[in-house]
Structures are given as C-alpha cells and as structure tokens.
C-alpha cells in the first residue's frame, strides 16, 4: 500500500484555520477587550487580522486594550508574511532539517515556480520585513512622537508601519487616517509601505540584485510597470471625479493618490468612503478586485493575473496564436490559471453579493463594495461592516478567508491532482 502524499495546499489551509482559531480564543480573553465581545465578533476580528483585510465590527482603538491590539498586530504580521514562513523560522531556530514536505508547502504558500532556495527566501523575507517596517516606524515617529510622546508615539508608529506594510489597514483611529489627509509625513510613508508590501518579496529581491544582474524577470517588470500605470490612472480619475472648488487642490490630490494606492488591498482611508461618488466607489471596487502582487502581503486576483487576462484578450483580437508580453511568450498553463482564478473569483463575488442582498438592508453598490473589499483583503467599507447581520458576518468571514488563501488554493486542497485515464474526441462549440 503506497503512502498517500499530503497536499501542500491542504496543509496551508489547515494551518491557516488553526491560526485563526487561536487568534479568536486570544481575543476572547477578558484582558484583551475593554468590554464584552461575542465569539462571532472575535472570529470576525481574528479573521480580518489574519487575512490582513482590515474590516472591523468593533473599534480597534476603543474596544480593545493594548493587549488586544498587540494580539491583532501579531495576527497581521503572521498573516501577512504567512504562517508557513513563521513555522519554517521556528524549524531553523531549533536547528531542524527542512524536508521536501515543508519546501513544497512554502513553494505553494509563496506562489513560487521552483523549490530551489526556499529556505534562503524565508530568511530574506524576514530580513526585508524587519528592515522595511523598522524604517517605516522611524519615519512615522517624526510625526507621532511629537504628537503623543515617546512611548505612545513609537507604539503608534510601529502599529501603523506593520499594518501598512502587510496591507492590513487596521488603524488606531475610528476614522482611519482622515485627520491626516493633507499631512505628507503620514500619507507618503504609509502609501510607500503599502506599495512595497504589495509588490511582493520576489520583486524586492529582484530589484535588489538588479545592480549585479542588470536584468529583471518578466514578473518584476509587469509588477513595477503595472503598479505605476494603475496608480497614476486611478489617481487622476479619482481626482477628476471628486474635484470640488471648496477644498484645497493639494488636499484633494493627496486624498485621490492615497485612495488609489490603498484600494489595491491596504484598507486605510484618508477620506470618508461613504461620501464618495458612485463612480469613485465603482473604481475602488475594480482596484480592490485586481489587488497587488503575487507572493506579497496583498490580496485580490493579483495585478499580474489582470495583465495576463488583458494581454490574452488583445492577442485574440489580433489573431495571434501566442500571448507575447514584453518580448516573452506566456505558457498556456499560466493563461489557463489566470482565467480559472478570475472566473472562480468573479463567481464567488457574485454569489456572496447575491446572498447579502437577501440578508442585509443596504444599497446594492454598498453590498458589492463590502464583498469585493473582503475578497481583495482590502478593508475599505462604506461605513457598513458593523451593521452586518450574523449571516452577513459569516459570509464576509468566508470571503476574507477565500481572498487570502486564493480560490485555487482551496480547490487544490480538496483534491489531489491525478492525470485523466480516459481521452475523448475533440468537438467545437459556438462561442460568442
């Protein structure tokens, strides 16, 4: 009898659920909150933190004690880097050998194409994370320490630096960063942390070695160019839609820029989301669905997936047999994966939005916004999350989990890949 191999995706899912369970139990501790908290709200908060989403049903600043906030930020750090990353770090500290099973799980969790250098990648990820978050804390401290004093200022700086780099969106103010909309010492560092965290660790490593190799991988090129284009276009459009003569132009520009960046999966907001025009909300929905980069702290279908879909469509319109991007031909397997991921994601968003229309009393755009925000692990809300019903909260919890783990990860976790034993004849169907 052959030994059944463990599915790396299933291992990742199980470990992830264990992490959420432990986080839920920790938030239920009496010294974690300033008052009572239900199991459902504890589960919602733990899931939101572990999936680095940022949707909240309770006030992070007022309903949780410092201990509770530390639990939340720990869940954010673990969820952002990945549970398997921390598990492997423990193995390394204990001097244990990293076997093939662990390497396969890391490869799947970080969406890598090769098993080579997995342990080195984990070390680099930890180093980059601590370095970037440390720099972010130092820069934010220039503003927060004079405002709150040394201890509280450093605490606020570290909390928001970690939350921003991990694209979590948890803030220690109920209105997020609305009070700092015109403050470049807050807007620019936090947006920079969001962008760097959303690019992905493989891109950061690639950029770091550019001086030596003088080349970037196709993935890194697409992420850097795509991020610049989508951020610029979104900023200009949001500025144009929301422009008014009653507010200073610089304040409106900073607000448009910050929302264009944070909607990619961070969840902070420097303007009142509920007060935006429908056109702006719909644009944010699109940005949230696209998300950031693979092997990053971001969610969504990922920017590279979106680019592959667009390039495949353009190749079809031009009657090209192959999809060529920046003088590189994409393998059919990559195109199929992008199509499958996008299709499953759209179906889930449609399903959850439909269910919410039956369980909640809110405008359709609000429900769609909430669903996509959860799926993209963004955390932006049209001031509605706290009003969700019990069923609504459970649906959003499931959506946050799916968005973090990825639709394909969950599907792969439920079935072992086996080659088909029977072949069938080809036949065409009419399309379009």
């Amino acid at each position: 009898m052959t030994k059944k191999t463990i599915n790396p995706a299933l291992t990742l899912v199980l470990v992830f659920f264990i992490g959420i369970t432990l986080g839920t139990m920790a938030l239920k501790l009496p010294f974690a909150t300033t008052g009572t908290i239900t199991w459902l709200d504890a589960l919602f908060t733990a899931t939101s933190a572990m999936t680095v989403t940022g949707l909240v049903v309770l006030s992070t600043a007022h309903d949780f004690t410092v201990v509770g906030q530390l639990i939340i930020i720990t869940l954010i750090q673990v969820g952002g880097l990945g549970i398997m990353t921390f598990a492997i770090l423990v193995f390394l500290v204990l001097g244990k050998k990293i076997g093939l099973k662990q390497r396969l799980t890391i490869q799947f969790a970080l969406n890598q194409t090769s098993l080579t250098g997995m342990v080195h990648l984990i070390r680099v990820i930890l180093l980059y994370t601590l370095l970037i978050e440390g720099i972010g804390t130092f820069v934010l401290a220039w503003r927060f320490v004079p405002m709150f004093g040394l201890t509280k200022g450093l605490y606020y700086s570290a909390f928001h630096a970690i939350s921003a780099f991990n694209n979590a969106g948890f803030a220690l103010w109920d209105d997020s960063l609305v009070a700092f909309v015109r403050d470049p010492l807050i807007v620019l560092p936090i947006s920079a942390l969001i962008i760097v965290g959303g690019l992905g660790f493989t891109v950061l490593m690639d950029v770091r070695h550019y001086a030596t190799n003088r080349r970037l991988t196709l993935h890194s090129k697409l992420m850097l160019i795509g991020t610049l284009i989508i951020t610029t276009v979104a900023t200009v459009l949001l500025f144009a839609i929301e422009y008014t003569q009653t507010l200073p132009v610089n304040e409106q520009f900073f607000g448009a820029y910050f929302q264009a960046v944070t909607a990619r999966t961070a969840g902070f907001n420097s303007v009142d989301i509920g007060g935006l025009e429908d056109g702006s909300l719909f644009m944010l929905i699109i940005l949230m669905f696209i998300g950031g980069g693979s092997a990053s702290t971001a969610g969504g279908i990922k920017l590279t997936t979106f680019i592959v879909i667009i390039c495949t469509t353009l190749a079809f319109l031009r009657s090209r047999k192959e999809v060529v991007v920046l003088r590189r031909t994409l393998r059919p397997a990559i195109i199929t994966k992008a199509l499958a991921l996008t299709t499953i994601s759209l179906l889930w968003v449609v399903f959850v939005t439909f269910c919410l229309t039956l369980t909640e009393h809110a405008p359709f755009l609000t429900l769609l916004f909430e669903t996509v925000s959860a799926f993209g692990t963004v955390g932006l809300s049209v001031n509605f999350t706290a009003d969700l019903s019990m069923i609504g909260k459970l649906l959003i919890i499931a959506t946050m989990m799916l968005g973090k783990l990825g639709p394909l990860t969950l599907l792969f976790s439920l079935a072992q890949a086996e080659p088909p034993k029977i072949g069938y004849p080809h036949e065409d169907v009419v399309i379009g």
Side-chain angles (χ1 to χ4, degrees), residues 176-346:
S176 193
L177 302 177
V178 172
F180 304 100
V181 62
R182 66 178 73 184
D183 192 339
L185 285 180
I186 301 298
V187 172
L188 295 181
I190 288 184
S191 62
L193 288 167
I194 293 170
I195 292 173
V196 172
L199 284 174
F201 297 106
T202 51
V203 176
L204 297 180
M205 292 177 62
D206 209 15
V207 171
R208 176 175 175 267
H209 294 130
Y210 178 76
T212 303
N213 301 332
R214 305 304 299 175
R215 66 178 299 273
L216 295 173
T217 62
L218 177 61
H219 173 79
S220 296
K221 291 178 181 177
L222 291 179
M223 279 303 307
L224 292 170
I225 296 173
T227 298
L228 177 62
I229 293 175
I230 199 171
T231 302
T232 302
V233 171
T235 300
V236 172
L237 290 178
L238 285 173
F239 180 82
I241 294 173
E242 298 294 334
Y243 177 76
T244 175
Q245 294 182 345
T246 59
L247 294 175
V249 174
N250 65 325
E251 180 177 329
Q252 295 182 68
F253 175 78
F254 275 124
Y257 162 73
F258 191 78
Q259 290 313 134
V261 171
T262 192
R264 297 276 310 289
T265 67
F268 291 107
N269 61 283
S270 60
V271 297
D272 180 17
I273 302 298
L276 296 179
E277 298 288 339
D278 287 351
S280 298
L281 292 177
F282 191 70
M283 176 175 293
L284 293 181
I285 288 173
I286 296 173
L287 293 173
M288 292 190 297
F289 186 76
I290 294 173
S294 298
S296 73
T297 57
I301 62 171
K302 303 300 188 292
L303 180 57
T304 45
T305 303
F306 175 72
I307 293 174
V308 169
I309 296 294
I310 295 298
C311 292
T312 302
T313 303
L314 293 176
F316 171 78
L317 294 176
R318 296 173 181 173
S319 299
R320 302 281 179 83
K321 292 183 178 181
E322 295 180 329
V323 180
V324 179
V325 184
L326 298 179
R327 299 182 179 180
R328 294 292 185 272
T329 301
L330 299 180
R331 290 185 293 109
I334 298 297
I335 298 171
T336 302
K337 183 178 179 181
L339 290 170
L341 176 62
T342 304
T343 301
I344 296 171
S345 301
L346 281 172

Side-chain angles (χ1 to χ4, degrees), residues 412-432:
F412 289 155
S413 70
L414 301 177
Q416 297 283 357
E418 295 182 0
K421 298 179 181 179
I422 301 176
Y424 298 94
H426 294 279
E427 184 172 350
D428 294 332
V429 295
V430 179
I431 299 295

Side-chain angles (χ1 to χ4, degrees), residues 34 59-65 69 156 171-174:
T34 56
S59 170
T60 307
H62 300 104
D63 293 326
F64 292 96
T65 62
Q69 293 169 7
Y156 270 55
L172 295 178
W173 295 278
D174 290 339

Side-chain angles (χ1 to χ4, degrees), residues 12-92:
L12 180 64
V13 172
L14 291 176
V15 173
F16 186 79
F17 276 105
I18 292 173
I20 290 179
T21 301
L22 294 176
T24 302
M25 296 173 64
L27 291 176
K28 275 292 292 181
L29 295 173
F31 48 80
T33 56
T34 56
T36 58
I37 180 175
T38 65
W39 279 104
L40 181 59
D41 286 346
L43 174 63
F44 191 101
T45 304
T47 304
S48 183
M50 196 72 171
T51 59
V52 292
T53 301
L55 288 174
V56 293
V57 290
L58 297 172
S59 170
T60 307
H62 300 104
D63 293 326
F64 292 96
T65 62
V66 173
V67 174
Q69 293 169 7
L70 290 175
I71 293 173
I72 290 173
I73 206 65
T74 301
L75 291 172
I76 290 173
Q77 189 72 281
V78 174
L81 294 181
I83 297 178
M84 291 310 302
T85 301
F86 279 89
I88 297 305
L89 287 174
V90 172
F91 271 68
L92 294 175

